[in-house]
PDB file of all heavy atoms in Angstrom:
ATOM      1  N   THR A1446     112.457  47.648 175.599  1.00 91.00           N
ATOM      2  CA  THR A1446     111.749  47.970 174.369  1.00 91.00           C
ATOM      3  C   THR A1446     112.536  49.017 173.607  1.00 91.00           C
ATOM      4  O   THR A1446     113.633  49.406 174.005  1.00 91.00           O
ATOM      5  CB  THR A1446     110.326  48.465 174.678  1.00 91.00           C
ATOM      6  OG1 THR A1446     109.638  48.715 173.445  1.00 91.00           O
ATOM      7  CG2 THR A1446     110.359  49.747 175.507  1.00 91.00           C
ATOM      8  N   HIS A1447     111.968  49.508 172.505  1.00 88.00           N
ATOM      9  CA  HIS A1447     112.664  50.503 171.693  1.00 88.00           C
ATOM     10  C   HIS A1447     112.718  51.856 172.406  1.00 88.00           C
ATOM     11  O   HIS A1447     111.710  52.330 172.935  1.00 88.00           O
ATOM     12  CB  HIS A1447     111.946  50.706 170.359  1.00 88.00           C
ATOM     13  CG  HIS A1447     112.001  49.526 169.451  1.00 88.00           C
ATOM     14  ND1 HIS A1447     113.179  49.035 168.941  1.00 88.00           N
ATOM     15  CD2 HIS A1447     111.014  48.733 168.945  1.00 88.00           C
ATOM     16  CE1 HIS A1447     112.926  48.001 168.157  1.00 88.00           C
ATOM     17  NE2 HIS A1447     111.629  47.785 168.160  1.00 88.00           N
ATOM     18  N   GLY A1448     113.885  52.473 172.379  1.00 86.00           N
ATOM     19  CA  GLY A1448     114.023  53.859 172.778  1.00 86.00           C
ATOM     20  C   GLY A1448     114.019  54.698 171.509  1.00 86.00           C
ATOM     21  O   GLY A1448     114.783  54.440 170.582  1.00 86.00           O
ATOM     22  N   LEU A1449     113.132  55.675 171.446  1.00 85.00           N
ATOM     23  CA  LEU A1449     112.972  56.485 170.240  1.00 85.00           C
ATOM     24  C   LEU A1449     113.449  57.904 170.479  1.00 85.00           C
ATOM     25  O   LEU A1449     113.413  58.408 171.612  1.00 85.00           O
ATOM     26  CB  LEU A1449     111.500  56.510 169.807  1.00 85.00           C
ATOM     27  CG  LEU A1449     110.839  55.142 169.596  1.00 85.00           C
ATOM     28  CD1 LEU A1449     109.345  55.325 169.316  1.00 85.00           C
ATOM     29  CD2 LEU A1449     111.504  54.381 168.458  1.00 85.00           C
ATOM     30  N   VAL A1450     113.890  58.544 169.421  1.00 82.00           N
ATOM     31  CA  VAL A1450     114.300  59.945 169.496  1.00 82.00           C
ATOM     32  C   VAL A1450     113.407  60.740 168.554  1.00 82.00           C
ATOM     33  O   VAL A1450     112.742  60.172 167.681  1.00 82.00           O
ATOM     34  CB  VAL A1450     115.790  60.123 169.118  1.00 82.00           C
ATOM     35  CG1 VAL A1450     116.677  59.459 170.152  1.00 82.00           C
ATOM     36  CG2 VAL A1450     116.081  59.571 167.738  1.00 82.00           C
ATOM     37  N   PRO A1451     113.346  62.061 168.723  1.00 84.00           N
ATOM     38  CA  PRO A1451     112.484  62.879 167.865  1.00 84.00           C
ATOM     39  C   PRO A1451     112.719  62.604 166.380  1.00 84.00           C
ATOM     40  O   PRO A1451     113.855  62.528 165.920  1.00 84.00           O
ATOM     41  CB  PRO A1451     112.892  64.304 168.236  1.00 84.00           C
ATOM     42  CG  PRO A1451     113.322  64.200 169.664  1.00 84.00           C
ATOM     43  CD  PRO A1451     114.014  62.873 169.752  1.00 84.00           C
ATOM     44  N   GLY A1452     111.619  62.421 165.666  1.00 81.00           N
ATOM     45  CA  GLY A1452     111.708  62.163 164.236  1.00 81.00           C
ATOM     46  C   GLY A1452     111.617  60.703 163.861  1.00 81.00           C
ATOM     47  O   GLY A1452     111.413  60.374 162.689  1.00 81.00           O
ATOM     48  N   ASP A1453     111.746  59.785 164.828  1.00 82.00           N
ATOM     49  CA  ASP A1453     111.649  58.359 164.509  1.00 82.00           C
ATOM     50  C   ASP A1453     110.252  57.987 164.030  1.00 82.00           C
ATOM     51  O   ASP A1453     110.083  57.116 163.179  1.00 82.00           O
ATOM     52  CB  ASP A1453     112.016  57.505 165.725  1.00 82.00           C
ATOM     53  CG  ASP A1453     113.521  57.309 165.875  1.00 82.00           C
ATOM     54  OD1 ASP A1453     114.257  57.595 164.909  1.00 82.00           O
ATOM     55  OD2 ASP A1453     113.960  56.868 166.950  1.00 82.00           O
ATOM     56  N   LEU A1454     109.222  58.627 164.628  1.00 84.00           N
ATOM     57  CA  LEU A1454     107.837  58.385 164.221  1.00 84.00           C
ATOM     58  C   LEU A1454     107.175  59.715 163.884  1.00 84.00           C
ATOM     59  O   LEU A1454     107.633  60.778 164.326  1.00 84.00           O
ATOM     60  CB  LEU A1454     107.052  57.684 165.339  1.00 84.00           C
ATOM     61  CG  LEU A1454     107.544  56.316 165.811  1.00 84.00           C
ATOM     62  CD1 LEU A1454     106.619  55.781 166.903  1.00 84.00           C
ATOM     63  CD2 LEU A1454     107.631  55.333 164.655  1.00 84.00           C
ATOM     64  N   ASP A1455     106.092  59.651 163.150  1.00 84.00           N
ATOM     65  CA  ASP A1455     105.357  60.861 162.780  1.00 84.00           C
ATOM     66  C   ASP A1455     104.928  61.630 164.025  1.00 84.00           C
ATOM     67  O   ASP A1455     104.306  61.063 164.942  1.00 84.00           O
ATOM     68  CB  ASP A1455     104.102  60.502 161.973  1.00 84.00           C
ATOM     69  CG  ASP A1455     104.452  59.882 160.627  1.00 84.00           C
ATOM     70  OD1 ASP A1455     105.608  59.993 160.214  1.00 84.00           O
ATOM     71  OD2 ASP A1455     103.548  59.280 160.006  1.00 84.00           O
ATOM     72  N   GLY A1456     105.246  62.899 164.072  1.00 85.00           N
ATOM     73  CA  GLY A1456     104.805  63.762 165.164  1.00 85.00           C
ATOM     74  C   GLY A1456     105.577  63.616 166.453  1.00 85.00           C
ATOM     75  O   GLY A1456     105.273  64.308 167.434  1.00 85.00           O
ATOM     76  N   LEU A1457     106.572  62.735 166.491  1.00 87.00           N
ATOM     77  CA  LEU A1457     107.333  62.539 167.722  1.00 87.00           C
ATOM     78  C   LEU A1457     108.364  63.659 167.849  1.00 87.00           C
ATOM     79  O   LEU A1457     109.301  63.742 167.056  1.00 87.00           O
ATOM     80  CB  LEU A1457     108.017  61.174 167.723  1.00 87.00           C
ATOM     81  CG  LEU A1457     108.788  60.798 168.997  1.00 87.00           C
ATOM     82  CD1 LEU A1457     107.837  60.712 170.185  1.00 87.00           C
ATOM     83  CD2 LEU A1457     109.515  59.469 168.814  1.00 87.00           C
ATOM     84  N   ASP A1458     108.187  64.502 168.869  1.00 87.00           N
ATOM     85  CA  ASP A1458     109.077  65.647 169.034  1.00 87.00           C
ATOM     86  C   ASP A1458     109.883  65.588 170.325  1.00 87.00           C
ATOM     87  O   ASP A1458     110.506  66.565 170.715  1.00 87.00           O
ATOM     88  CB  ASP A1458     108.281  66.952 168.981  1.00 87.00           C
ATOM     89  CG  ASP A1458     107.189  67.024 170.050  1.00 87.00           C
ATOM     90  OD1 ASP A1458     107.082  66.065 170.861  1.00 87.00           O
ATOM     91  OD2 ASP A1458     106.437  68.016 170.069  1.00 87.00           O
ATOM     92  N   GLN A1459     109.872  64.430 170.985  1.00 88.00           N
ATOM     93  CA  GLN A1459     110.667  64.254 172.195  1.00 88.00           C
ATOM     94  C   GLN A1459     111.004  62.775 172.352  1.00 88.00           C
ATOM     95  O   GLN A1459     110.336  61.926 171.771  1.00 88.00           O
ATOM     96  CB  GLN A1459     109.924  64.774 173.430  1.00 88.00           C
ATOM     97  CG  GLN A1459     108.554  64.159 173.650  1.00 88.00           C
ATOM     98  CD  GLN A1459     107.833  64.769 174.843  1.00 88.00           C
ATOM     99  OE1 GLN A1459     108.332  64.740 175.962  1.00 88.00           O
ATOM    100  NE2 GLN A1459     106.647  65.343 174.589  1.00 88.00           N
ATOM    101  N   PRO A1460     112.060  62.447 173.114  1.00 88.00           N
ATOM    102  CA  PRO A1460     112.415  61.035 173.308  1.00 88.00           C
ATOM    103  C   PRO A1460     111.248  60.259 173.921  1.00 88.00           C
ATOM    104  O   PRO A1460     110.437  60.822 174.673  1.00 88.00           O
ATOM    105  CB  PRO A1460     113.610  61.102 174.259  1.00 88.00           C
ATOM    106  CG  PRO A1460     114.175  62.465 174.074  1.00 88.00           C
ATOM    107  CD  PRO A1460     113.006  63.350 173.803  1.00 88.00           C
ATOM    108  N   ALA A1461     111.186  58.962 173.634  1.00 91.00           N
ATOM    109  CA  ALA A1461     110.076  58.152 174.131  1.00 91.00           C
ATOM    110  C   ALA A1461     110.448  56.681 174.151  1.00 91.00           C
ATOM    111  O   ALA A1461     111.376  56.248 173.466  1.00 91.00           O
ATOM    112  CB  ALA A1461     108.833  58.352 173.257  1.00 91.00           C
ATOM    113  N   LEU A1462     109.724  55.919 174.956  1.00 93.00           N
ATOM    114  CA  LEU A1462     109.794  54.461 174.960  1.00 93.00           C
ATOM    115  C   LEU A1462     108.544  53.936 174.275  1.00 93.00           C
ATOM    116  O   LEU A1462     107.432  54.396 174.544  1.00 93.00           O
ATOM    117  CB  LEU A1462     109.873  53.930 176.392  1.00 93.00           C
ATOM    118  CG  LEU A1462     111.156  54.231 177.170  1.00 93.00           C
ATOM    119  CD1 LEU A1462     111.001  53.792 178.631  1.00 93.00           C
ATOM    120  CD2 LEU A1462     112.352  53.537 176.542  1.00 93.00           C
ATOM    121  N   ALA A1463     108.724  52.961 173.396  1.00 93.00           N
ATOM    122  CA  ALA A1463     107.596  52.394 172.649  1.00 93.00           C
ATOM    123  C   ALA A1463     106.964  51.252 173.433  1.00 93.00           C
ATOM    124  O   ALA A1463     107.648  50.312 173.842  1.00 93.00           O
ATOM    125  CB  ALA A1463     108.064  51.901 171.286  1.00 93.00           C
ATOM    126  N   LEU A1464     105.649  51.325 173.626  1.00 95.00           N
ATOM    127  CA  LEU A1464     104.909  50.284 174.329  1.00 95.00           C
ATOM    128  C   LEU A1464     103.813  49.733 173.416  1.00 95.00           C
ATOM    129  O   LEU A1464     103.671  50.168 172.276  1.00 95.00           O
ATOM    130  CB  LEU A1464     104.331  50.852 175.628  1.00 95.00           C
ATOM    131  CG  LEU A1464     105.402  51.278 176.645  1.00 95.00           C
ATOM    132  CD1 LEU A1464     104.797  52.105 177.765  1.00 95.00           C
ATOM    133  CD2 LEU A1464     106.119  50.056 177.207  1.00 95.00           C
ATOM    134  N   SER A1465     103.057  48.763 173.896  1.00 95.00           N
ATOM    135  CA  SER A1465     102.076  48.091 173.042  1.00 95.00           C
ATOM    136  C   SER A1465     101.045  49.062 172.474  1.00 95.00           C
ATOM    137  O   SER A1465     100.645  50.029 173.127  1.00 95.00           O
ATOM    138  CB  SER A1465     101.362  46.995 173.826  1.00 95.00           C
ATOM    139  OG  SER A1465     102.173  45.850 173.929  1.00 95.00           O
ATOM    140  N   SER A1466     100.603  48.751 171.260  1.00 93.00           N
ATOM    141  CA  SER A1466      99.617  49.592 170.601  1.00 93.00           C
ATOM    142  C   SER A1466      98.319  49.612 171.409  1.00 93.00           C
ATOM    143  O   SER A1466      97.804  48.556 171.795  1.00 93.00           O
ATOM    144  CB  SER A1466      99.330  49.045 169.202  1.00 93.00           C
ATOM    145  OG  SER A1466      98.226  49.712 168.623  1.00 93.00           O
ATOM    146  N   PRO A1467      97.778  50.798 171.664  1.00 91.00           N
ATOM    147  CA  PRO A1467      96.518  50.869 172.435  1.00 91.00           C
ATOM    148  C   PRO A1467      95.352  50.221 171.705  1.00 91.00           C
ATOM    149  O   PRO A1467      94.348  49.865 172.325  1.00 91.00           O
ATOM    150  CB  PRO A1467      96.307  52.381 172.604  1.00 91.00           C
ATOM    151  CG  PRO A1467      97.124  53.019 171.532  1.00 91.00           C
ATOM    152  CD  PRO A1467      98.291  52.120 171.316  1.00 91.00           C
ATOM    153  N   GLN A1468      95.453  50.024 170.397  1.00 88.00           N
ATOM    154  CA  GLN A1468      94.373  49.407 169.631  1.00 88.00           C
ATOM    155  C   GLN A1468      94.199  47.922 169.961  1.00 88.00           C
ATOM    156  O   GLN A1468      93.138  47.360 169.740  1.00 88.00           O
ATOM    157  CB  GLN A1468      94.653  49.564 168.138  1.00 88.00           C
ATOM    158  CG  GLN A1468      94.721  51.012 167.679  1.00 88.00           C
ATOM    159  CD  GLN A1468      95.115  51.146 166.221  1.00 88.00           C
ATOM    160  OE1 GLN A1468      95.434  50.152 165.572  1.00 88.00           O
ATOM    161  NE2 GLN A1468      95.098  52.364 165.707  1.00 88.00           N
ATOM    162  N   LEU A1469      95.226  47.300 170.512  1.00 87.00           N
ATOM    163  CA  LEU A1469      95.160  45.865 170.788  1.00 87.00           C
ATOM    164  C   LEU A1469      94.375  45.548 172.045  1.00 87.00           C
ATOM    165  O   LEU A1469      93.746  44.493 172.151  1.00 87.00           O
ATOM    166  CB  LEU A1469      96.576  45.286 170.912  1.00 87.00           C
ATOM    167  CG  LEU A1469      97.457  45.426 169.668  1.00 87.00           C
ATOM    168  CD1 LEU A1469      98.845  44.882 169.945  1.00 87.00           C
ATOM    169  CD2 LEU A1469      96.816  44.705 168.491  1.00 87.00           C
ATOM    170  N   GLY A1470      94.428  46.439 173.018  1.00 73.00           N
ATOM    171  CA  GLY A1470      93.751  46.156 174.281  1.00 73.00           C
ATOM    172  C   GLY A1470      92.685  47.161 174.643  1.00 73.00           C
ATOM    173  O   GLY A1470      92.170  47.149 175.767  1.00 73.00           O
ATOM    174  N   GLY A1471      92.364  48.054 173.721  1.00 75.00           N
ATOM    175  CA  GLY A1471      91.345  49.054 173.992  1.00 75.00           C
ATOM    176  C   GLY A1471      91.768  50.053 175.043  1.00 75.00           C
ATOM    177  O   GLY A1471      90.919  50.611 175.756  1.00 75.00           O
ATOM    178  N   THR A1472      93.079  50.292 175.157  1.00 80.00           N
ATOM    179  CA  THR A1472      93.563  51.242 176.145  1.00 80.00           C
ATOM    180  C   THR A1472      93.668  52.627 175.526  1.00 80.00           C
ATOM    181  O   THR A1472      93.516  52.815 174.321  1.00 80.00           O
ATOM    182  CB  THR A1472      94.937  50.809 176.685  1.00 80.00           C
ATOM    183  OG1 THR A1472      95.866  50.714 175.582  1.00 80.00           O
ATOM    184  CG2 THR A1472      94.840  49.460 177.366  1.00 80.00           C
ATOM    185  N   THR A1473      93.948  53.608 176.360  1.00 80.00           N
ATOM    186  CA  THR A1473      94.055  54.979 175.890  1.00 80.00           C
ATOM    187  C   THR A1473      95.511  55.310 175.564  1.00 80.00           C
ATOM    188  O   THR A1473      96.404  54.487 175.732  1.00 80.00           O
ATOM    189  CB  THR A1473      93.542  55.954 176.967  1.00 80.00           C
ATOM    190  OG1 THR A1473      94.326  55.786 178.166  1.00 80.00           O
ATOM    191  CG2 THR A1473      92.083  55.671 177.298  1.00 80.00           C
ATOM    192  N   GLY A1474      95.737  56.526 175.112  1.00 84.00           N
ATOM    193  CA  GLY A1474      97.095  56.964 174.816  1.00 84.00           C
ATOM    194  C   GLY A1474      97.512  56.610 173.402  1.00 84.00           C
ATOM    195  O   GLY A1474      96.724  56.112 172.588  1.00 84.00           O
ATOM    196  N   ASP A1475      98.790  56.841 173.126  1.00 90.00           N
ATOM    197  CA  ASP A1475      99.314  56.596 171.787  1.00 90.00           C
ATOM    198  C   ASP A1475     100.351  55.482 171.750  1.00 90.00           C
ATOM    199  O   ASP A1475     100.967  55.231 170.717  1.00 90.00           O
ATOM    200  CB  ASP A1475      99.926  57.882 171.223  1.00 90.00           C
ATOM    201  CG  ASP A1475     100.998  58.475 172.139  1.00 90.00           C
ATOM    202  OD1 ASP A1475     101.366  57.818 173.141  1.00 90.00           O
ATOM    203  OD2 ASP A1475     101.461  59.597 171.863  1.00 90.00           O
ATOM    204  N   GLY A1476     100.559  54.800 172.878  1.00 92.00           N
ATOM    205  CA  GLY A1476     101.526  53.712 172.929  1.00 92.00           C
ATOM    206  C   GLY A1476     102.950  54.176 173.130  1.00 92.00           C
ATOM    207  O   GLY A1476     103.876  53.359 173.083  1.00 92.00           O
ATOM    208  N   LEU A1477     103.137  55.461 173.391  1.00 93.00           N
ATOM    209  CA  LEU A1477     104.470  56.012 173.592  1.00 93.00           C
ATOM    210  C   LEU A1477     104.566  56.650 174.976  1.00 93.00           C
ATOM    211  O   LEU A1477     103.721  57.467 175.352  1.00 93.00           O
ATOM    212  CB  LEU A1477     104.781  57.075 172.532  1.00 93.00           C
ATOM    213  CG  LEU A1477     104.779  56.603 171.079  1.00 93.00           C
ATOM    214  CD1 LEU A1477     104.928  57.798 170.146  1.00 93.00           C
ATOM    215  CD2 LEU A1477     105.890  55.590 170.835  1.00 93.00           C
ATOM    216  N   LEU A1478     105.574  56.237 175.738  1.00 94.00           N
ATOM    217  CA  LEU A1478     105.844  56.866 177.032  1.00 94.00           C
ATOM    218  C   LEU A1478     106.905  57.927 176.775  1.00 94.00           C
ATOM    219  O   LEU A1478     108.094  57.640 176.683  1.00 94.00           O
ATOM    220  CB  LEU A1478     106.337  55.825 178.044  1.00 94.00           C
ATOM    221  CG  LEU A1478     106.481  56.312 179.489  1.00 94.00           C
ATOM    222  CD1 LEU A1478     105.112  56.650 180.080  1.00 94.00           C
ATOM    223  CD2 LEU A1478     107.179  55.261 180.348  1.00 94.00           C
ATOM    224  N   THR A1479     106.470  59.156 176.630  1.00 93.00           N
ATOM    225  CA  THR A1479     107.364  60.234 176.231  1.00 93.00           C
ATOM    226  C   THR A1479     108.136  60.789 177.424  1.00 93.00           C
ATOM    227  O   THR A1479     107.814  60.520 178.585  1.00 93.00           O
ATOM    228  CB  THR A1479     106.574  61.376 175.577  1.00 93.00           C
ATOM    229  OG1 THR A1479     105.682  61.941 176.562  1.00 93.00           O
ATOM    230  CG2 THR A1479     105.783  60.874 174.385  1.00 93.00           C
ATOM    231  N   MET A1480     109.136  61.602 177.108  1.00 92.00           N
ATOM    232  CA  MET A1480     109.933  62.227 178.150  1.00 92.00           C
ATOM    233  C   MET A1480     109.053  63.043 179.096  1.00 92.00           C
ATOM    234  O   MET A1480     109.224  63.005 180.312  1.00 92.00           O
ATOM    235  CB  MET A1480     111.002  63.124 177.522  1.00 92.00           C
ATOM    236  CG  MET A1480     111.917  63.801 178.519  1.00 92.00           C
ATOM    237  SD  MET A1480     113.238  64.771 177.740  1.00 92.00           S
ATOM    238  CE  MET A1480     112.285  66.131 177.074  1.00 92.00           C
ATOM    239  N   GLY A1481     108.088  63.776 178.543  1.00 93.00           N
ATOM    240  CA  GLY A1481     107.194  64.570 179.380  1.00 93.00           C
ATOM    241  C   GLY A1481     106.367  63.716 180.322  1.00 93.00           C
ATOM    242  O   GLY A1481     106.136  64.095 181.476  1.00 93.00           O
ATOM    243  N   GLU A1482     105.929  62.555 179.848  1.00 95.00           N
ATOM    244  CA  GLU A1482     105.141  61.663 180.696  1.00 95.00           C
ATOM    245  C   GLU A1482     106.005  60.991 181.755  1.00 95.00           C
ATOM    246  O   GLU A1482     105.550  60.743 182.869  1.00 95.00           O
ATOM    247  CB  GLU A1482     104.441  60.626 179.817  1.00 95.00           C
ATOM    248  CG  GLU A1482     103.347  61.240 178.949  1.00 95.00           C
ATOM    249  CD  GLU A1482     102.848  60.310 177.868  1.00 95.00           C
ATOM    250  OE1 GLU A1482     103.640  59.476 177.379  1.00 95.00           O
ATOM    251  OE2 GLU A1482     101.659  60.416 177.499  1.00 95.00           O
ATOM    252  N   ILE A1483     107.253  60.688 181.414  1.00 95.00           N
ATOM    253  CA  ILE A1483     108.171  60.111 182.405  1.00 95.00           C
ATOM    254  C   ILE A1483     108.426  61.101 183.533  1.00 95.00           C
ATOM    255  O   ILE A1483     108.513  60.729 184.710  1.00 95.00           O
ATOM    256  CB  ILE A1483     109.494  59.697 181.728  1.00 95.00           C
ATOM    257  CG1 ILE A1483     109.254  58.545 180.749  1.00 95.00           C
ATOM    258  CG2 ILE A1483     110.541  59.273 182.774  1.00 95.00           C
ATOM    259  CD1 ILE A1483     110.432  58.244 179.845  1.00 95.00           C
ATOM    260  N   LEU A1484     108.524  62.376 183.184  1.00 93.00           N
ATOM    261  CA  LEU A1484     108.736  63.407 184.201  1.00 93.00           C
ATOM    262  C   LEU A1484     107.587  63.450 185.207  1.00 93.00           C
ATOM    263  O   LEU A1484     107.771  63.869 186.346  1.00 93.00           O
ATOM    264  CB  LEU A1484     108.876  64.779 183.529  1.00 93.00           C
ATOM    265  CG  LEU A1484     110.183  65.033 182.770  1.00 93.00           C
ATOM    266  CD1 LEU A1484     110.078  66.289 181.927  1.00 93.00           C
ATOM    267  CD2 LEU A1484     111.350  65.136 183.740  1.00 93.00           C
ATOM    268  N   GLY A1485     106.419  62.993 184.785  1.00 94.00           N
ATOM    269  CA  GLY A1485     105.261  62.998 185.678  1.00 94.00           C
ATOM    270  C   GLY A1485     105.147  61.764 186.553  1.00 94.00           C
ATOM    271  O   GLY A1485     104.271  61.703 187.424  1.00 94.00           O
ATOM    272  N   LEU A1486     106.035  60.769 186.364  1.00 95.00           N
ATOM    273  CA  LEU A1486     106.006  59.570 187.201  1.00 95.00           C
ATOM    274  C   LEU A1486     106.596  59.866 188.573  1.00 95.00           C
ATOM    275  O   LEU A1486     107.419  60.767 188.732  1.00 95.00           O
ATOM    276  CB  LEU A1486     106.806  58.440 186.542  1.00 95.00           C
ATOM    277  CG  LEU A1486     106.338  57.966 185.158  1.00 95.00           C
ATOM    278  CD1 LEU A1486     107.294  56.898 184.623  1.00 95.00           C
ATOM    279  CD2 LEU A1486     104.915  57.418 185.221  1.00 95.00           C
TER     280      LEU A1486
END
């Protein structure tokens, strides 16, 4: 999927991977797997 860097999207201040929009499946989150969240895996 897309690898994003800070500034690619509104409010994005760290690198992230773009995943499916949470609005499509009623899931939580913002659809972005950020660097901080990856560190928690």
Side-chain angles (χ1 to χ4, degrees):
T1446 183
H1447 293 297
L1449 305 174
V1450 294
D1453 277 346
L1454 300 181
D1455 294 345
L1457 183 63
D1458 58 2
Q1459 56 183 302
L1462 292 173
L1464 295 167
S1465 282
S1466 171
Q1468 298 175 355
L1469 300 177
T1472 59
T1473 59
D1475 55 7
L1477 299 173
L1478 188 66
T1479 64
M1480 182 176 71
E1482 291 168 329
I1483 294 169
L1484 287 168
L1486 300 177

